[in-house]
């Protein structure tokens, strides 16, 4: 799932638009009623999340059950949350090879967990 697809899904499912509080490429996904974050889309250096090579990648930070997050971090494309609480948040690499349904489920869980 790409950054654009994440935004399209959130727009359709939750009627939320990405918010750019830092006036850069990084975007927050917020509940429209409370303003609480349920997602954070960031561009980070590959090395900061433990990937080899040079350059930057897009990630999605979502709130996640700690047990499930621990399981997912053992799978390719999932990492301890970058710049968030690593127990309750998870970073997922945004790329087309990750299963879209898994990503949508993570967004849904995060939305519910932060309501």
């Amino acid at each position: 799932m790409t950054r654009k697809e994440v935004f399209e899904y959130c727009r359709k499912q939750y009627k939320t638009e990405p918010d750019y509080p830092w006036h850069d490429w990084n975007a927050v996904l917020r509940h429209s009623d409370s303003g609480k974050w349920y997602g954070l889309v960031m561009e980070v250096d590959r090395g900061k999340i433990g990937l080899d090579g040079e350059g930057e990648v897009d990630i999605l930070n979502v709130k996640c059950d700690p047990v499930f997050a621990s399981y997912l971090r053992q799978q390719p494309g999932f990492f301890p949350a970058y710049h968030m609480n690593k127990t309750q948040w998870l970073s997922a690499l945004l790329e087309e090879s990750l299963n879209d349904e898994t990503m949508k489920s993570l967004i849904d869980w995060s939305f519910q967990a932060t309501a």
Side-chain angles (χ1 to χ4, degrees):
M1 188 169 228
T2 65
R3 167 189 289 261
K4 181 180 177 183
E5 291 167 332
V6 167
F7 295 153
E8 288 172 5
Y9 177 74
C10 293
R11 188 174 293 119
K12 179 181 173 190
Q13 188 73 14
Y14 299 111
K15 311 289 188 264
T16 58
E17 294 290 332
D19 178 24
Y20 298 90
W22 304 286
H23 307 291
D24 60 11
W25 189 240
N26 301 314
V28 174
L29 297 166
R30 301 177 189 266
H31 286 268
S32 55
D33 56 347
S34 69
K36 287 180 73 172
W37 296 14
Y38 69 92
L40 174 61
V41 176
M42 301 177 69
E43 185 178 69
V44 299
D45 184 87
R46 298 174 66 82
K48 290 187 178 186
I49 58 171
L51 291 174
D52 292 332
E54 294 183 20
E56 296 181 327
V57 293
D58 284 337
I59 59 170
L60 170 65
N61 283 345
V62 290
K63 191 163 189 174
C64 189
D65 173 77
V67 174
F68 190 56
S70 177
Y71 165 76
L72 283 176
R73 283 193 297 269
Q74 298 172 36
Q75 309 304 313
F78 296 97
F79 308 90
Y82 177 74
H83 230 283
M84 303 285 275
N85 177 306
K86 292 176 182 7
T87 303
Q88 296 186 15
W89 288 78
L90 174 76
S91 288
L93 188 61
L94 289 179
E95 61 179 26
E96 305 226 7
S97 65
L98 289 181
N99 182 295
D100 285 359
E101 292 310 309
T102 299
M103 297 300 290
K104 289 176 183 177
S105 292
L106 287 171
I107 293 167
D108 294 343
W109 291 332
S110 187
F111 186 87
Q112 296 302 319
T114 56

